[in-house]
Amino acid sequence: MERFFTPACLLGLLSACTAQISNTMPTYPENGSGSNQAQHSRGTAEESHPAELRYGRYTLVSTEPTTEQRDLLAQIIDVNIPSNLNPSVQDALQYVLKRSGYSLCPDTAAVKVLFTRPLPTAHYRLGPIPLRSALQVLAGPAWQLTTDEINRSVCFEQQKTEAGVAPITPVLPHQLEARP
């Protein structure tokens, strides 16, 4: 009797696990035959321009542009500038701007001072960092980043100070300590 009782109990437990559950989710007609085609998600948002689309079976995608798509200088970059170029600051700025949608303004006499400087070793690797911050880091604190949104170009102007020289930040005693 014990041999019959154990398999019968096991079958009873397994059959309880496979009970059919009614589908409470509403079904929507398929929009095309492909499984990766976008479908409008049903919601209370505007039906003409939904905020989300169903893409595939389990994915909802936003239809709103991201911050990086609205403001191209806000995109996060991670750049390694090739050291074999022996780059100048201008070379590094052009390299960083390569696929950003922006270009560097033509060099004038004022920015030629910046553009002809050799790139510091600390700037060969930048990121992850916003593009705007990377450009400012490459130029340094004596230069102000300006953009021409119509032509999508990036320019630099020297910071204005009373004496015409960039202010020097004082070194505090705790900054003089040697680091291991």
Side-chain angles (χ1 to χ4, degrees), residues 80-165:
N80 286 318
I81 297 171
S83 58
N84 61 352
L85 295 175
N86 196 12
S88 65
V89 172
Q90 183 178 19
D91 296 334
L93 289 168
Q94 287 172 338
Y95 188 83
V96 167
L97 289 171
K98 190 176 279 184
R99 284 184 236 128
S100 69
Y102 280 83
S103 61
L104 201 55
C105 283
D107 52 341
T108 61
V111 293
K112 202 156 210 52
V113 173
L114 169 66
F115 287 171
T116 57
R117 306 294 305 162
L119 185 67
T121 306
H123 292 168
Y124 278 59
R125 166 122 175 71
L126 294 172
I129 186 172
L131 179 58
R132 182 178 283 111
S133 298
L135 294 170
Q136 188 62 58
V137 165
L138 288 171
W143 298 90
Q144 177 66 42
L145 174 71
T146 60
T147 57
D148 178 2
E149 296 297 332
I150 295 171
N151 296 317
R152 283 195 180 169
S153 60
V154 174
C155 306
F156 292 93
E157 296 174 354
Q158 232 172 349
Q159 291 275 1
K160 306 286 188 238
T161 59
E162 292 178 22
V165 178

Side-chain angles (χ1 to χ4, degrees), residues 62-75 152:
S62 175
T63 59
E64 297 296 318
T66 63
T67 303
E68 292 83 7
Q69 290 170 330
R70 283 189 196 115
D71 180 12
L72 293 175
L73 292 177
Q75 61 187 304
R152 283 195 180 169

Side-chain angles (χ1 to χ4, degrees), residues 42-62:
R42 308 292 188 227
T44 59
E46 294 179 24
E47 289 298 322
S48 61
H49 299 292
E52 292 180 333
L53 288 177
R54 180 176 294 200
Y55 191 79
R57 188 171 182 178
Y58 301 109
T59 307
L60 286 178
V61 235
S62 175

